[in-house]
Amino acid sequence: MFKIEKRPIPSAKWNWGAPIVAVLLTMVFGGALFAVLGVNPFLALEKIFYEPLLGEYAFYYRPQLLVKAAPLILIAIGLSLGFRAGIWNIGAEGQYIIGALCGAGLALALYPMELFILLPLMVIAGAIGGALWGLIPAFLKVRFGTNEILVSLMLVYVAEQLLASMALGLMKNPEGMGFPGSRNLQQYPSAHNAEIISGTGMHWGVVAALIAVIFAYIVLSRHMFGFSLRMSGMAPRAAKFAGVNPTRMVLICMGISGALAGMAGLFEIAGPAGQVSIDFNVGYGFTAIIVAFLGRLNPVGILLAGILMALTYIGGEITQSQMGLPLAAIQVFQGMLLFFLLAMDLLTNYRFRPTAKEAA
Amino acid sequence: MDLSSINPVLLLASLMVAATPLLFAALGELIVERAGVLNLGVEGMMITGAVSGFIIAVESGSPALGFICAAIAGALLSLLFALLTQVFLANQVASGLALTLFGLGLSALLGQGYVGIKPPSTPKLDLGMLADIPFIGRVLFTHDLMVYLALALAIAIWFFLHRTRAGLILRGVGENHDAAHALGYKVVMIRFAAIAFGGACAGVGGAYLSLVRVPQWTEGMTAGIGWIALALVVFASWKPGRVILGAYLFGGVNVLQLNLQAAGAAIPVEYLAMSPYLVTILVLVIMSAERSRAPASLGRPFHASH
């Protein structure tokens, strides 16, 4: 028999091995699911993981990859900071919506004025909006001790209702002939988050995501704040003795993750989405949680995980249109991935030892 | 706004219906948390229960069978969580989230062909004379079995926790799993059972939504009720009696805002629809002072090294 024994320190090899094994297991079980749904699993997996990258029409899908990966990475980087310190912001979806509303609101208020710094101003507005929305659960946590998980999640539903209210009321396009939804920001040059190089999918959100990755990497590995953050997660008591202020930690983590989610929302609404509409948010805030874990809460890992997750989104659309695979199957696929990852983490933190025969 | 269009009898009667799914889900989670486990997957288990109960009820024509299968589906899904957290020793917060994300996807997948169908109606319980009592009769005694079952469950759970030996052991596991382990109780097995029970309850709660409360299947129809159920457990300070109070309070807020929407209140629909979530936050803020009443081992991983 074997016994499970806690490793003195997590295994570095399995830290990166676990996500790879998890992805492979998800492919196996996901393939089985596709087969049950009556779709050839090998063909489906090829369409999800190969076609968007190297297939015949990859030139069409690759830009999409960046467009989908950017918000996921941007949000997940923010979430990972808090997750490391045991601060659970799971309301990124709400912060994403509020950021988009604040930025788009600014643009719509100034319409049709052409202002060359409008987009940067919108980004700032989006970041502030998202940060403030994220600071609500943070403030309630430090002041009253409420659970940030539940509050941040409740605020997602509040934000969704606000979005609906804006799309149908205050921000509705006055020239929209009564249809819901705001003016299209893509047709407002100063506010449009256009592609930097046409046809590549590279918009300012992608740039921001890359900057966030680099910045987070430096902060976590080279800066005192990153050290305090990691310490609060691994040894809260030790962190306290070392003078880390937990209240400040909560406020900073929730503020930063809110700001990044808000920025992601703004880049989306000023670019690929274009307008404030009821169905603007598509769940990036929740998928980003999977991205953060899959990337081991490590900035470089999150970059790769974000691209992988974007791949499943695009692959999902391909398999839906070409093979009739329901889009929900991809959602299950993504959920499965997180399950396997969490299970495989056992190998990172624990090891198997053969039990010694007991003395007679 | 026409307030006279709101009938107080119907309002109170529908309050009891609105509170029932919450009551089931919150009571299940209460047992899970009393055993020291934080399962954030209530939303996922509820919606899985909602869709599987709906499918079975539609296919078999029997709502009762639907409820039973919903309980089984919820329990099965929760066993995944149990496996992750109790055997693979995964983080409970992350595993609960995974369960919710997975459940939302799974339910959307299963429920594809069932959008827009009407389920077989769940019969109202015939309570004879009682239903004829003016006002009270209409409010209290014109419901289906599940409404009373939820109330009975609350009482049964109170009795179980405070008057039986098994309940004492369960609480012991939740308060101090190391001590319980030292006394020879199978911490992991007890927690498995508690988690499965919580899953079954959440499944039934979900099925009540799709079979009675709405009654229809739509993707993502739980709309945060599972999360409100989690908040309800905090609100109730982990006491079954107060779960009833909380569920009826939330049910009341929800029914009232829906009635105000229908009556054409001056407040925009979206702001009314926000109110249950805002009330939840408010209640969490007020109640968090009593946080110390949470089971002492709540959310902490248990690994028997000996």
Side-chain angles (χ1 to χ4, degrees):
Chain A
M1 273 302 282
F2 287 93
K3 96 178 187 183
I4 302 171
E5 183 184 81
K6 197 168 171 74
R7 291 178 194 269
I9 48 164
S11 152
K13 244 187 334 198
W14 274 111
N15 189 33
W16 292 104
I20 295 169
V21 175
V23 169
L24 292 175
L25 278 173
T26 310
M27 286 186 181
V28 173
F29 283 84
L33 172 76
F34 298 156
V36 169
L37 292 168
V39 169
N40 179 347
F42 299 103
L43 203 60
L45 287 174
E46 189 201 317
K47 289 222 184 282
I48 294 172
F49 291 103
Y50 180 79
E51 193 147 312
L53 282 178
L54 302 162
E56 197 181 341
Y57 298 103
F59 64 89
Y60 172 74
Y61 295 122
R62 270 187 226 136
Q64 281 294 311
L65 203 60
L66 289 182
V67 168
K68 293 240 174 2
L72 287 176
I73 293 169
L74 206 50
I75 299 171
I77 288 281
L79 294 181
S80 70
L81 299 179
F83 289 178
R84 270 177 183 263
I87 299 159
W88 299 95
N89 173 13
I90 60 167
E93 186 82 357
Q95 293 139 22
Y96 173 86
I97 294 173
I98 298 298
L101 284 180
C102 288
L106 179 69
L108 292 170
L110 294 176
Y111 182 88
M113 191 175 19
E114 292 296 344
L115 198 67
F116 74 98
I117 54 159
L118 182 56
L119 186 60
L121 284 179
M122 285 161 66
V123 174
I124 294 170
I128 292 175
L132 289 178
W133 203 250
L135 281 171
I136 298 172
F139 173 75
L140 294 181
K141 184 183 171 73
V142 298
R143 180 71 182 75
F144 301 103
T146 38
N147 183 320
E148 79 278 17
I149 300 175
L150 293 172
V151 175
S152 65
L153 200 102
M154 287 295 127
L155 287 172
V156 173
Y157 294 98
V158 176
E160 279 179 348
Q161 294 299 332
L162 262 179
L163 174 70
S165 155
M166 291 299 157
L168 302 170
L170 199 58
M171 294 189 190
K172 196 164 101 170
N173 186 357
E175 292 153 23
M177 319 225 259
F179 283 107
S182 71
R183 287 180 197 280
N184 197 327
L185 296 176
Q186 291 170 351
Q187 285 147 20
Y188 180 10
S190 295
H192 184 196
N193 169 27
E195 287 181 332
I196 300 166
I197 308 161
S198 176
T200 55
M202 183 87 161
H203 62 66
W204 287 108
V206 181
V207 178
L210 291 175
I211 294 174
V213 168
I214 296 166
F215 201 73
Y217 180 81
I218 295 170
V219 166
L220 281 175
S221 60
R222 293 282 179 275
H223 193 269
M224 185 62 193
F225 175 72
F227 177 70
S228 316
L229 195 73
R230 280 166 23 210
M231 186 159 57
S232 328
M234 286 193 270
R237 265 171 64 83
K240 224 167 181 177
F241 285 125
V244 176
N245 181 344
T247 302
R248 254 187 63 203
M249 214 47 133
V250 171
L251 292 173
I252 293 175
C253 285
M254 295 289 282
I256 293 178
S257 58
L260 289 179
M263 271 163 70
L266 179 275
F267 286 124
E268 189 71 15
I269 207 156
Q275 58 173 172
V276 180
S277 63
I278 304 172
D279 50 4
F280 160 68
N281 61 312
V282 289
Y284 285 144
F286 294 114
T287 313
I289 297 171
I290 306 181
V291 172
F293 280 113
L294 188 63
R296 321 272 42 196
L297 308 181
N298 173 305
V300 181
I302 287 172
L303 180 70
L304 298 173
I307 294 170
L308 183 76
M309 225 38 152
L311 207 57
T312 64
Y313 269 114
I314 294 164
E317 284 167 16
I318 300 175
T319 47
Q320 188 196 21
S321 64
Q322 295 183 10
M323 306 174 75
L325 191 72
L327 212 51
I330 293 301
Q331 226 180 322
V332 176
F333 195 79
Q334 293 174 343
M336 232 184 238
L337 183 55
L338 186 51
F339 269 135
F340 283 122
L341 183 73
L342 291 169
M344 285 304 117
D345 250 357
L346 179 76
L347 301 171
T348 313
N349 296 316
Y350 294 84
R351 64 184 162 203
F352 294 90
R353 270 281 179 82
T355 39
K357 278 239 170 79
E358 275 178 41
Chain B
M1 180 171 66
D2 185 14
L3 273 181
S4 61
S5 70
I6 298 177
N7 178 343
V9 174
L10 282 180
L11 184 81
L12 289 172
S14 54
L15 179 159
M16 288 186 72
V17 173
T20 300
L22 266 174
L23 197 49
F24 272 116
L27 285 171
E29 179 66 15
L30 182 124
I31 287 289
V32 178
E33 293 194 12
R34 269 299 179 90
V37 180
L38 181 66
N39 185 354
L40 291 180
V42 182
E43 180 90 356
M45 301 184 297
M46 266 190 109
I47 196 137
T48 307
V51 73
S52 40
F54 189 85
I55 292 173
I56 299 294
V58 166
E59 296 298 338
S60 71
S62 152
L65 202 60
F67 280 112
I68 293 169
C69 289
I72 295 171
L76 282 179
L77 196 63
S78 73
L79 284 180
L80 267 179
F81 171 85
L83 191 69
L84 275 179
T85 56
Q86 305 304 309
V87 178
F88 287 95
L89 304 164
N91 180 311
Q92 292 185 8
V93 172
S95 307
L97 284 173
L99 199 66
T100 290
L101 294 172
F102 182 74
L104 286 171
L106 186 68
S107 63
L109 188 63
L110 291 174
Q112 283 203 350
Y114 293 87
V115 179
I117 299 179
K118 240 183 111 61
S121 69
T122 309
K124 302 251 183 283
L125 218 55
D126 185 16
L127 291 167
M129 300 275 286
L130 284 175
D132 295 333
I133 306 170
F135 193 78
I136 296 175
R138 284 287 303 282
V139 172
L140 293 179
F141 302 115
T142 55
H143 300 291
D144 51 85
L145 178 66
M146 301 311 281
V147 171
Y148 307 110
L149 213 57
L151 290 169
L153 187 66
I155 297 164
I157 284 177
W158 173 83
F159 186 84
F160 168 76
L161 284 175
H162 296 285
R163 292 288 181 274
T164 67
R165 189 179 166 77
L168 184 65
I169 294 169
L170 182 100
R171 285 190 290 146
V173 167
E175 293 296 340
N176 189 335
H177 49 215
D178 292 319
H181 175 69
L183 285 171
Y185 296 116
K186 306 270 184 237
V187 174
V188 172
M189 288 318 291
I190 292 167
R191 286 188 168 164
F192 252 87
I195 291 167
F197 177 79
C201 287
V204 170
Y208 194 80
L209 272 179
S210 63
L211 290 176
V212 182
R213 170 94 173 95
V214 177
Q216 228 183 35
W217 162 253
T218 44
E219 223 175 272
M221 68 180 296
T222 42
I225 291 180
W227 293 102
I228 293 183
L230 276 161
L232 212 57
V233 179
V234 181
F235 165 81
S237 315
W238 294 268
K239 293 191 185 92
R242 283 175 60 170
V243 171
I244 302 182
L245 182 73
Y248 278 65
L249 182 77
F250 279 93
V253 170
N254 206 10
V255 167
L256 190 65
Q257 65 95 358
L258 287 172
N259 271 282
L260 285 172
Q261 283 186 25
I267 314 163
V269 174
E270 291 84 11
Y271 292 93
L272 284 173
M274 264 176 217
S275 56
Y277 308 110
L278 290 174
V279 169
T280 307
I281 294 175
L282 190 70
V283 160
L284 280 172
V285 168
I286 295 168
M287 293 310 296
S288 40
E290 292 192 55
R291 232 180 153 194
S292 54
R293 304 223 176 136
S297 290
L298 185 61
R300 279 174 40 212
F302 171 73
H303 174 55
S305 46
H306 305 291

